Amino acid sequence: MLSSCSETLAHRERVITPTGMEPELGEEDVGSKAWEPGMLARQSGVSMDDDLNRSQSRLGFLDMDKEAKQDLIDDKEFDIPQVDTPPTLESILNETDDEEESFIPEDPALLNVEAIDVHSCDTSSLASSDSGDRVHKRKKKLPDAFSRHGSVMHHSLLKGISAQIVSAADKVDAGLPTAIAVSNLIAVGTSHGLALIFGKDTNQAMRLCLGSTAVGAQYGAVSALSINSDCSRLLCGFAKGQITMWDLAGGKLLRTITDAHPPGTAILHIKFTDDPTLAVCNDSGGSVFELTFKRVMGVRTCESRCLFSGSKGEVCCIEPLHTKAELRDHPITHYSLLAMASLTKILVIGLKPSLKVWMTFPYGRMDPSSVPLLAWHFVILQGALNPMLAFCRGDVVHFLLVKRDDSGAIHINKQKQLHLHYDLINFTWINARTVALLDSAEKLHVIDRQTQEELETLEISDVQLVYNSSHFKSLATGGNVSQALAFVGEKACYESISSYGGQIFYLGTKSVHAMTLRNWRERVDHLLKQDCYNEALALAWSFHEGKAKAVVGLSGDPKKRKSVVADKIVEILLQYTEKALRKCPEQGKIQVMEQHFQDTVPLMVDYCLLLQRTDILFSQMYDKLSENCVAKGVFLECLEPYLLRDQLPGLTAHVMKDLLLHFQDQGQMESVEACIVHMDITSLDIQNIVHMCWEHRLYDAVIYVYNKGTNDFISPMEKLFNAISAPINSGKSLTDEQVVMGNKLLVYISSSLAGRAYPLGDIPEDLVPLVKNQVFEFLIRLHSPETPQEEEVYPYIRTLLHFDTREFLNVLALTFEDFTNDKQAVEHQQRIVDILLKVMVENSDFTPSQVGCLFTFLARQLAKPDNTLFVNRMLFDQVLEFLCSPDDDSRHSERQQVLLELLHAGGVVQFEENRLIQLAERAQFYQICEFMYERKHQYDKIIDCYMQDPIRKQDVFNYIHNILSIPGYSAEEKEATWDKTMQHMEELILLCPSKAADLVCTHFSSHLEDVIGKLKDPLLVLQFLRSLLDPRDGAHVTPEVLQTLPHITELFIDLMYQNDPEQVAPLLQILEHYRLEETIQIAQRHNHHETLAYLLEKKGDVEAAFRVMLMRLQERLSNLTSDSVDSPSFKVMPNMKDLEETLTETILLCERTSDTLNQQQREALWFPLLEAMMSPQKHFTSSSAQMYSESLKTLTMQVLNSMATYISLPSILQRILQDPVYGKGKLVEIQGLVLGMLDTFNYEQTLLETTTNLLNQDLHWSLCNLKASVTRALVPKQDYCCVCLQQYKRRQEATDEIIVFSCGHLYHSLCLLGKDCKVEVGGQSQWICHRCNSTNKGRAGRQTVTDVKKGRTTSLAQVRGTSSRSSREEAAKKSSTDPILDPQQLQAFQHLCRLYKGTSRLALLTELCRSQSPEKSSSYYASYGGIATSSVFQNENFQLHLAPPPYLGD
């Protein structure tokens, strides 16, 4: 119908009314005089003025001046190039909608890259509306978003407009509201064809009522409204297709357009562009038309041009790009961009200077009921202001940034997508950063676009939103729309929601609602009204830090904004303080009160300190909280962590005093000490604080107060010395408290000498030299101030040395490192060293460890390159004599360790090396000897040190290995070490045979015979060889060495025979490198039958091995017979056990060798064994046979059962009956044996019959299931081809067939053939599913064409031809005569076989047949050896399942 729409409607003109002519009576009736604005208030029966006065304080709009009409922009001014032959829109729209090509942005560098949006075109709302604030009626919001962002949106009911709409419907039959448009005025269309115009001032008074119910009956309901940019014109679209234009200044009808689009279709959308002479409309046929308004010779006309034909795809949403007045000079506005959304794609076209399509974006497959949405807004990205188009359908929002380059071309770049979990029915920009999304459940979601964070969710179902479903179904014109468009219209509410100036207006069935972003103060105050002080403070702080979202009302530079918000936070904190005191729980409930203030006071302190408003914190807030003792205590405790982090400046003396008294009253003296060392205590009473600290042993606080308060660094040292010197001088052990004091004293001295304050901070630079001198002078004092008569000289140094010698010397060492080489520093160092030597060397009350620490300290100092100290070398010799005294065995390890530390510290240069080694050997200081030998590179002597040192003896192996294997040692050094190791080899093996074996394998394998030759003890040789040759012990000699020295392995076997004969048999199975003949001789020499038989069998002499085992068995039987006569029964049992073991080994030998023998050779093995077991029973008397005859019969039956596998039963019976003894009529004695053989035969016969029945049933069941599987009908998931997306009935080619797979996908055979989905398998053609094969390409275990060719596909296909009946009959005839299974059936059968994979049925039947026919079995065994071991019954994993097979589901 619309194929030639652009030709027939392109240039039609409509003459309306000449300028200056008074309207005729009919037009006047339709105009504003038909209904005066005041009429509604007079007829309503209620005082509208009273209602408006009551709501005036809560609802109001800022008056907006009418925007001035702008002159049209000349295209030549911007040098826009002329397009000679612009492409037609039809040529672009003719492409099919089925393509799913992905959108490729023209600027790939901007793909998924979005700069920070710091600008908002609409950051302030038009009005601060409090009218009808229905906070109490609002549904609960998401708790997380509410706690972070508060209430972002202000929801208000426009009571004045709502009441007038209801009154109009009741009084003048205006009908229900159907559409809304908002600019500086609010226009509401009704179902009876009226357009009600309301002001946005405080009174919300109706200004105009356009149209009449009579015209409404002719045109139908108002289906779309649009107000132009200067709010002077109103376009009304009607349900029956007419369009009217009104003058909003006087309510005059300017145009009535009835032929702008095809008749019989409703107007879905009508939109003014920024050009007041240009508009676009969209009808229910899916077409889009451009309306150009002209005025020629005083006559108003309208030209219509088809932009998009509904026959090419139905458009259901249009959105022109509107710009604010201040952005009219933006270069993008010259193109008059229009976005259109059809059911399959998005288009962006330019209406100027000529029609051009700038972008097409296909949706892909979407939910057919989802509503396409479009919305424009200007945003700043990467420093440039450009329009951004948001479009969505379903649950994904796409953002497209539109940019114009220097050449005039428009580039559209895809930005970050917004993925949602709900379907949208409306998308609205609030400002450049904030969007409002309405989902299909009528929940409004406020989202920050950049972070995609949901700020608030509101339930607006009580608005009773108006839907445009009837217009999309075109019910007023007979419903002549497509099913797809009608389906979309079920959720369409395009004309019920309008936004302007950052406000969103929702049209309900009886009301109009407005949504506005709250400014930052309103959001904070809203939380305060709900007593959410914590959330309010957090939100205000986010405003202060610039991290809040959807911020309105904060302007100016950052410093000014922070100041404004800070004042608000202070105001909240003071209110919070009063509220906390006012709502305090009942007095007396201390725990409840504490919890109450713990929840409130710390938060107040935190925000005061974050704002750095300690003046408020310690004055107004503290004074108020001090009224409650519990609140005061909580407040003081909150200060501690900030005080410890030095984050509490401006702490007043009053608060400091209260803080210390509070912790003291609470008994928290550790907190008192921690606070004192962070306070400025100059304003406090120092004397009282010192007294309190000494009383409670707060030593850190004492030192801090003396240092900071009086700059006295010596007094605390004297007091601490006096506390620990008395017990040390008297020889008493120190208490834990005294140890703590001593450690603090050492740290204090170290800090003072290093220029650091104790316990934290630094000493002022001008005091550092003075403090160091004072501390040194204090330490080297000859006597203390109050000198007792018995006090020794240098009491302070002596006390510290006795307390902890090593740590005190470490303190001095660190101090010497910081000293400069000036004269005074050198004198101090030398003076300290002289005092240390005098105190420690001249007194015998110091331990060797303490003396060694001193000389280690001195050696380190003397080893420095810039050393200035002098120490008499004689003192080092005295220390050496003292430490190496052989007469003193006490503290041997301690003295050696001290001397070793002294040598490592550089003291070796103070001694004569030979004398040092001599003294160390005499004192058995082997570590000292090792240190000296290593300096001389005498590594071989170090081995002697390890061997003589009982503590480190085991480490000698690692040492030798390192010397011989690690590079860096000379050949001479390694050779000397190797020789020394060979000398001590016997000792090493005796020390640890396993480690010695590892060492020999690594470094001495070529001299293995020499190593063994050094060993005198045979047991030691055995231990060594066991570690060397037994793989289970870890060491591994190379096979080449053992092959050249087989006699070593034979020696090991010989020794094992002598010492552990029971382990020889398993050992022979592990060892390899020995000679069989020599080893057999060793076994014969030791008369070990078990290993001898094994060796003979390994050699290949089976008969000799059998004779050995048979002789051993006969010997055991003979012993059993003799013992049973002469010994009691309890002594016979061990012999019987030995007999069973020997018989088992003999049977195993016969079974192992029977596979390689013929029938005669087998009988030569088994019949002597049977004779050996039966012969003792022939000569027993009745009295002796009763003791063990049953056991012998059981063993004999075991022989018969084993030999029955290799010897036929008739041969066994014939041999028994031919025996001379049994041939004389004594069959009673073998009755049990014969009956046992018959029972075995009966069992095997029953087993065969049962197995055969089960196999037959299993085969029948499998074939039935296979038949059911391959003949089952396949049900497709859809009725169209998955390739061409057309219904299977549409294509009627003679060669085309319908193919359905088991996965439910349906194809035309020609479509599937075009996708290369037909493969050859086993000479037959086979189809594979194209969608499943392509979907699984990225997954592990995917089914590909290669898998199908290998027969691994599990998909079945059924083919239904669409050709003539004769071809189907021929195909059916062919299929009925062809008994061969197709490839899918073969694969299904193979799948069943794999499912029940186990022992082959053929193998089972073969084995059972052999057991039924002994003669055939004998010949078979004779011809093919090795069958017995491969028998399924001999397999240890063989299991016979006598249960029916499980049911296999479909």
Side-chain angles (χ1 to χ4, degrees), residues 794-812:
Y794 307 113
Y796 299 129
I797 290 182
R798 188 183 301 274
T799 300
L800 290 174
L801 288 172
H802 276 293
F803 176 73
D804 195 331
T805 306
R806 187 182 298 274
E807 291 302 325
F808 177 58
L809 294 176
N810 288 339
V811 170
L812 295 179

Side-chain angles (χ1 to χ4, degrees), residues 604-606 608-609 613-623 635 639 648:
M604 305 176 194
V605 176
D606 289 342
C608 279
L609 295 177
R613 295 297 301 270
T614 54
D615 54 334
I616 300 294
L617 180 65
F618 298 132
S619 57
Q620 300 180 43
M621 290 183 61
Y622 183 62
D623 293 342
F635 177 86
L639 301 180
L648 201 60

Side-chain angles (χ1 to χ4, degrees), residues 483-593:
Q483 183 179 359
L485 190 64
F487 202 16
V488 170
E490 293 291 341
K491 299 179 181 178
C493 56
Y494 296 107
E495 300 301 321
S496 306
I497 302 173
S498 179
S499 64
Y500 184 79
Q503 293 179 305
I504 309 174
F505 296 85
Y506 296 90
L507 180 64
T509 56
K510 296 181 180 180
S511 57
V512 177
H513 299 255
M515 288 284 183
T516 310
L517 276 180
R518 297 178 186 267
N519 64 40
W520 72 275
R521 287 184 182 274
E522 291 175 348
R523 289 168 63 179
V524 174
D525 292 339
H526 179 78
L527 291 172
L528 294 177
K529 290 178 183 178
Q530 297 180 348
D531 285 342
C532 299
Y533 281 85
N534 294 356
E535 291 79 4
L537 287 170
L539 180 60
W541 181 250
S542 67
F543 291 134
H544 184 274
E545 294 299 301
K547 297 180 180 180
K549 305 291 191 304
V551 182
V552 176
L554 275 180
S555 59
D557 60 276
K559 184 176 181 181
K560 181 180 178 181
R561 292 200 301 267
K562 286 192 173 185
S563 176
V564 172
V565 178
D567 293 340
K568 181 64 176 178
I569 294 177
V570 171
E571 177 186 343
I572 297 173
L573 289 173
L574 294 177
Q575 295 178 9
Y576 199 10
T577 305
E578 295 178 355
K579 172 185 174 287
L581 293 173
R582 185 174 61 254
K583 294 190 176 181
C584 177
E586 298 179 3
Q587 298 291 333
K589 299 180 180 179
I590 301 298
Q591 294 181 349
V592 177
M593 294 174 63

Side-chain angles (χ1 to χ4, degrees), residues 351-369:
L351 302 178
K352 293 181 179 180
S354 61
L355 185 64
K356 184 175 181 179
V357 176
W358 290 107
M359 185 207 74
T360 60
F361 188 99
Y363 285 128
R365 295 197 173 276
M366 302 293 296
D367 183 3
S369 65

Side-chain angles (χ1 to χ4, degrees), residues 72-80 274 321 323 327-337 350-354 404 410:
L72 297 180
I73 299 175
D74 187 4
D75 295 340
K76 296 181 180 179
E77 181 182 352
F78 291 90
D79 194 20
I80 299 176
D274 286 341
L321 173 62
T323 55
L327 297 177
R328 293 293 168 84
D329 293 334
H330 195 284
I332 207 76
T333 61
H334 304 159
Y335 295 89
S336 188
L337 295 181
L351 302 178
K352 293 181 179 180
S354 61
R404 177 183 179 273
I410 291 180

